[in-house]
Amino acid sequence: MTADAASAPIDKAEGPVPARGPARGARSGSRTAYLRYAAGKAGGAAVSLLAVLVTSFFLFRLIPGDPVKYMTGGRQVSAEQLAAYRREFGLDLPLWEQFTDYCQKALTGDLGTSYQFRAPVVDKITEALPNTLVLTGTAFVLYTALGIFLGTRSAWRHGRLGDRLNTGLALTLYSLPSFWLGLLLIIVFAVGTGPIPGLFPTGGMESGGREGFAYAVDVAHHLVLPVVTLVAIEYGQTLLVTRSALLDEMGGDYLTTARAKGLRDDLVRRRHAVPNALLPTVTLIFVNLGRTVAGVILVETVFSWPGLGGLFYQALSVPDLPLVQGLFFVFAATVIVMNTLADLIYPLLDPRVGR
């Protein structure tokens, strides 16, 4: 090869193009694989929602009780009046016709009319939803932060006394029934027992007659016990998953390399180990969010919180079939949607998933 040939400039039209071609193809293939993965998850979620829609109609018709008799308030009414009530709410139609009518309306966003409130089910759900979001949102933020913090601390000091106490307490609280813990907190901290005075309200969301900042303080005061109940029950799962994931990462060679470079142990944990260990926890966060909204029924009932859970319990006692069906669909849809979001986000954090 001559000196002139060796010093000749590289032709940009011929050099870089072959090198960039495979990279572009790989990115395009990766994007296509993710879209196929996302479409499959979205299709599965849609099928699940349809199954919930069908299940909610037939499941709650097994509940004993006559909603028409409830609507009469126990008064003596004639057979003609009972028949008129049944015609008004479509209860005189054959079951298959009630089912097809329910499905057609539900697919357009109409979940029917509540028997006891004589109002659209969607309106009742919309009215109670903000109250549930205040309760579950506050508890969700607190138990997620607490679980991640204690989980990382326990893993980094695994086998020590603090780790054993943390995991033991988390497992104990996670196994407790939420309604039992809620009643216990009411007895001790709301009613008062022994030297402990009643510090918090026994139930409800507000005392009434307050506005502005005083209203916010009053709501926060009522929030304490139900939020503590949810946090105590739920933080343990986040702690255990975070702890387990971080223990798996602690043997990695990259942590040994980071320490060899002179990084402090605290920096190694925060900058290297924890971000990688949080991948399973991110999935759990979305799953927990849906599960908390759906599982708040008992806590809201115990504390008389005017949210979706308390409304569901009230509807079951009638039974108010349209309202029960609508709430059941909302609870199930929340879990399905959050699980689907977790499935869609995880491949973005870990490209090995969904390939």
Side-chain angles (χ1 to χ4, degrees), residues 289-306:
L289 182 57
R291 193 167 58 87
T292 302
V293 173
V296 77
I297 298 172
L298 292 177
V299 173
E300 287 193 354
T301 302
V302 168
F303 290 96
S304 302
W305 191 266

Side-chain angles (χ1 to χ4, degrees), residues 44-64:
V47 172
S48 299
L49 289 173
L50 288 175
V52 168
L53 193 66
V54 174
T55 303
S56 65
F57 178 84
F58 292 103
L59 176 64
F60 295 107
R61 275 160 176 74
L62 301 176
I63 300 174

